[in-house]
């Protein structure tokens, strides 16, 4: 290193950006790069979400449809091939309940669990959950397991 190749340390020098509105001499005075008139030139301007410049916004152009059932119950689906995988990974032994699902991060503490029938299960398990599909129930019982509805 000598005086011919000095340079500042990496990350120590930042490009400060243009200083606007600091007088005519700077070349960025006057309108301060905002142009003349209009909402965007004013201080405190912020565009509404979905605003399309006065054109009818998409959200208002598209018709409403359907309804939301206030009594809807959401279930967290867990397939039996997932259960078999957990047995293979030695994460579960012979009983599976909601605490197990919550502990393994498969369901949240306020969620309801539904066991679904994808895949196949070989392990003999006692499974307790809020709901079971017919195929899942059949598969668990065929493997010698037990189904408990919470």
């Amino acid at each position: 290193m000598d005086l011919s190749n000095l340079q500042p340390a990496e990350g120590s020098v930042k490009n400060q950006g243009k200083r606007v509105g600091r007088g005519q001499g700077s070349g960025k005075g006057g309108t301060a790069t905002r142009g003349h008139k209009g909402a965007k030139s004013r201080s405190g301007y912020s565009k509404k979400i979905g605003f399309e410049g006065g054109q009818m916004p998409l959200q208002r152009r598209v018709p409403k449809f359907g309804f939301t059932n206030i009594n809807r119950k959401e279930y967290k689906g867990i397939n039996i091939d997932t259960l078999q995988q957990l047995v293979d990974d030695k994460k579960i032994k012979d009983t599976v309940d909601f605490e197990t699902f919550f502990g393994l991060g498969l369901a949240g503490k306020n969620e309801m669990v539904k066991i679904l029938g994808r895949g196949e299960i070989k392990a003999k398990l006692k499974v307790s959950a809020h709901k079971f599909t017919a195929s899942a129930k059949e598969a668990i019982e065929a493997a010698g397991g037990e189904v408990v509805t919470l």
Side-chain angles (χ1 to χ4, degrees), residues 80 115-117 132-143 145 147-149:
I80 56 177
I115 306 296
L116 310 175
F132 293 87
T133 59
S135 59
K137 194 170 192 172
E138 200 176 285
I140 292 167
E141 286 168 350
V147 168
V148 180
T149 306

Side-chain angles (χ1 to χ4, degrees), residues 7-146:
Q7 57 185 39
E10 192 69 39
S12 66
V13 177
K14 291 184 174 68
N15 186 2
Q16 294 295 328
K18 54 188 170 187
R19 281 165 52 86
V20 297
R22 289 292 179 271
Q24 295 296 341
S26 68
K28 307 251 184 320
T31 60
T33 74
R34 285 165 175 250
H36 294 280
K37 295 189 186 166
K40 279 177 142 177
S41 71
R42 315 294 185 194
S43 71
Y45 165 76
S46 68
K47 189 176 67 183
K48 301 275 188 294
I49 291 172
F51 183 67
E52 297 182 21
Q55 170 178 302
M56 185 60 68
L58 182 69
Q59 192 208 348
R60 290 188 60 196
R61 287 197 302 263
V62 176
K64 296 191 216 175
F65 72 98
F67 80 109
T68 304
N69 181 2
I70 58 167
N71 298 318
R72 178 173 166 76
K73 287 188 170 71
E74 281 270 1
Y75 290 95
K76 178 74 183 188
I78 297 174
N79 281 289
I80 56 177
D81 60 359
T82 312
L83 295 180
Q84 184 59 50
Q85 184 65 46
L86 291 170
V87 172
D88 295 343
D89 296 344
K90 296 188 171 42
K91 291 196 176 153
I92 53 178
K93 295 262 188 300
D94 50 357
T95 57
V96 192
D97 55 2
F98 181 74
E99 280 70 38
T100 316
F101 293 130
F102 177 58
L104 293 167
L106 291 172
K109 68 173 194 241
N110 297 323
E111 287 181 316
M112 293 194 289
V113 173
K114 184 171 185 175
I115 306 296
L116 310 175
R118 186 190 69 199
E120 52 200 43
I121 190 161
K122 298 186 236 12
K124 181 182 172 185
L125 290 173
K126 179 180 178 181
V127 185
S128 50
H130 297 94
K131 283 247 173 163
F132 293 87
T133 59
S135 59
K137 194 170 192 172
E138 200 176 285
I140 292 167
E141 286 168 350
E146 192 185 333

